[in-house]
Amino acid sequence: MKPVFTIMSALLLAVIATVNSCPPSDRAALLAFRAALHEPYLGIFDSWTGTDCCHNWYGVSCDSESHRVADINLRGESEDPIFERAHRTGYMTGFISPEICKLTRLSSITIADWKGITGEIPKCISTLSFLRILDLVGNKISGEIPYDIGKLNRLTVLNIADNQISGRIPASLTSLSSLMHLDLRNNKISGPIPRRIGRLGMLSRALFSGNQISGPIPGSISRIYRLADLDLSMNKISGSIPASLGKMAVLATLNLDCNKISGTIPPTLLTSSIGNLNLSRNGLAGKIPDVFGPRSYFTVIDLSYNKLSGSIPRTLTAAFYIGHLDVSYNHLCGRIPAGAPFDHLEASSFSHNHCLCGKPLRAC
């Protein structure tokens, strides 16, 4: 009787193990995904053995109920012990295989900071209807953003910064109604920002810097109520700054530096919730609006390298706090106001203007 009981127990454990392990189709898809990548130093794929990809496969997590693969989390820069033992960051080559799209219950894909992964974002990625996070930052991925990426209506994070992505921002991206974090920095993206970007009502960070984006700033951006951080720096953006940006409830950081923006500075930007404002290296002209007051709080105001004229606003002395102010390389003239914040600023903040005088420059 004892041998029969032992056999039955073994069979029961085998059944339980099978039920709790990932489906063979998910395992096959993961192995095909791994086959397209080469990681020579850390051995992160050494644990990808056996039939159960839900347990002890590095960077792989499964849904507790369906046992389908839900998350792939592979970061080339991490505090994980595997990196500490190797005393180095990760390096991986190869490409992201379209086989990853066979993992139809994926909720997050993080393949970040491996520096050597090339190829394109698989076009089939837009079929992963459960996807919430797509983080491919810090590789050498090229090609374009999938044109129908807007199908991913659960997506909350899209981070493809620091790659070699080219082409335009697809119009369908404005259909990502759940998107909270958009990071396209440091790629080769060109063309305009989609006119209907204001449809991204959940967005809190929109980072576009270091591309070749052209055209005007869409006024619809100001409809994104939750937007706190907007970075359009180091592009080819032209036209004027929409005054409506200064009426956004929670916008705290606005970086528009190193573009081709013209016109004047909207007074609303200086009476808003923005605390970090960089408008440097553009073609802004006219006077600096004299609208500062006790509620003005700026960690940074950088207006350098423009065509601003007139005098420095005296109301700046009434501001609650100005951490750093730079108005150098403009056409400003007149006496620099005395008192805070001017008493802690260096001469370089005022240099190369037409006829500014007073501390910290020469006496008037």
Side-chain angles (χ1 to χ4, degrees):
M1 189 68 183
K2 197 170 185 179
V4 173
F5 179 78
T6 302
I7 293 170
M8 291 294 291
S9 298
L11 287 172
L12 182 61
L13 289 172
V15 169
I16 292 172
T18 302
V19 169
N20 289 333
S21 64
C22 67
S25 58
D26 279 15
R27 178 180 177 275
L30 283 172
L31 292 177
F33 162 76
R34 184 188 71 174
L37 297 168
H38 178 58
E39 190 284 297
Y41 302 113
L42 302 173
I44 65 162
F45 292 125
D46 291 352
S47 63
W48 287 30
T49 59
T51 58
D52 185 7
C53 59
C54 285
H55 296 92
N56 301 319
W57 283 39
Y58 184 87
V60 177
S61 302
C62 295
D63 181 79
S64 59
E65 295 182 2
S66 68
H67 307 292
R68 297 290 307 277
V69 174
D71 305 295
I72 295 176
N73 186 10
L74 301 173
R75 294 188 179 276
E77 296 180 3
S78 170
E79 296 181 358
D80 189 279
I82 197 170
F83 292 87
E84 294 181 359
R85 287 194 297 269
H87 302 290
R88 61 166 298 140
T89 58
Y91 181 77
M92 192 185 299
T93 57
F95 63 95
I96 300 173
S97 170
E99 294 292 312
I100 198 172
C101 299
K102 293 181 178 178
L103 299 167
T104 57
R105 300 291 297 207
L106 275 175
S107 175
S108 71
I109 300 173
T110 299
I111 306 167
D113 297 315
W114 292 103
K115 307 172 187 67
I117 295 176
T118 56
E120 300 186 356
I121 301 171
K123 290 180 174 58
C124 59
I125 213 87
S126 57
T127 65
L128 297 175
S129 59
F130 291 91
L131 198 62
R132 297 180 184 275
I133 296 172
L134 180 59
D135 186 351
L136 305 177
V137 63
N139 291 293
K140 291 183 179 178
I141 298 169
S142 57
E144 300 186 3
I145 301 170
Y147 76 95
D148 57 351
I149 196 165
K151 291 180 179 179
L152 299 174
N153 57 18
R154 288 183 171 92
L155 199 68
T156 60
V157 174
L158 175 59
N159 187 354
I160 54 174
D162 301 324
N163 278 287
Q164 297 175 9
I165 305 293
S166 59
R168 296 188 169 211
I169 301 170
S172 75
L173 187 141
T174 64
S175 297
L176 296 173
S177 57
S178 300
L179 196 64
M180 298 178 183
H181 180 99
L182 175 63
D183 194 345
L184 309 181
R185 289 176 296 178
N186 302 325
N187 279 287
K188 301 176 181 179
I189 297 168
S190 59
I193 298 170
R195 183 173 52 86
R196 302 180 71 185
I197 193 169
R199 297 171 64 195
L200 299 176
M202 300 296 291
L203 199 62
S204 62
R205 301 191 78 201
L207 311 176
F208 298 90
S209 67
N211 282 286
Q212 299 165 24
I213 297 169
S214 58
I217 302 170
S220 70
I221 284 182
S222 60
R223 298 180 201 149
I224 308 176
Y225 179 81
R226 292 177 171 83
L227 191 63
D229 188 350
L230 177 59
D231 189 350
L232 299 173
S233 62
M234 294 182 286
N235 279 289
K236 298 178 179 179
I237 291 169
S238 57
S240 59
I241 302 171
S244 56
L245 293 183
K247 299 178 182 179
M248 299 177 68
V250 296
L251 187 64
T253 299
L254 179 61
N255 292 329
L256 304 179
D257 49 300
C258 301
N259 280 289
K260 299 179 179 181
I261 298 170
S262 57
T264 59
I265 299 173
T268 53
L269 295 187
L270 305 179
T271 58
S272 66
S273 61
I274 298 170
N276 190 327
L277 179 65
N278 192 339
L279 307 180
S280 66
R281 297 180 186 273
N282 280 288
L284 294 167
K287 295 183 177 182
I288 302 172
D290 197 2
V291 292
F292 298 90
R295 297 178 64 184
S296 301
Y297 189 104
F298 289 89
T299 53
V300 173
I301 303 178
D302 193 343
L303 308 178
S304 62
Y305 291 91
N306 278 288
K307 301 175 183 178
L308 299 170
S309 58
S311 60
I312 294 176
R314 292 191 176 278
T315 54
L316 272 166
T317 59
F320 183 81
Y321 178 76
I322 306 286
H324 176 74
L325 172 70
D326 192 343
V327 295
S328 62
Y329 292 88
N330 279 287
H331 306 315
L332 300 172
C333 201
R335 183 186 296 272
I336 298 172
F342 304 101
D343 52 6
H344 72 263
L345 297 174
E346 298 181 0
S348 59
S349 294
F350 306 97
S351 65
H352 295 87
N353 277 284
H354 275 186
C355 51
L356 284 178
C357 61
K359 290 184 178 181
L361 300 182
R362 60 178 175 80
C364 294

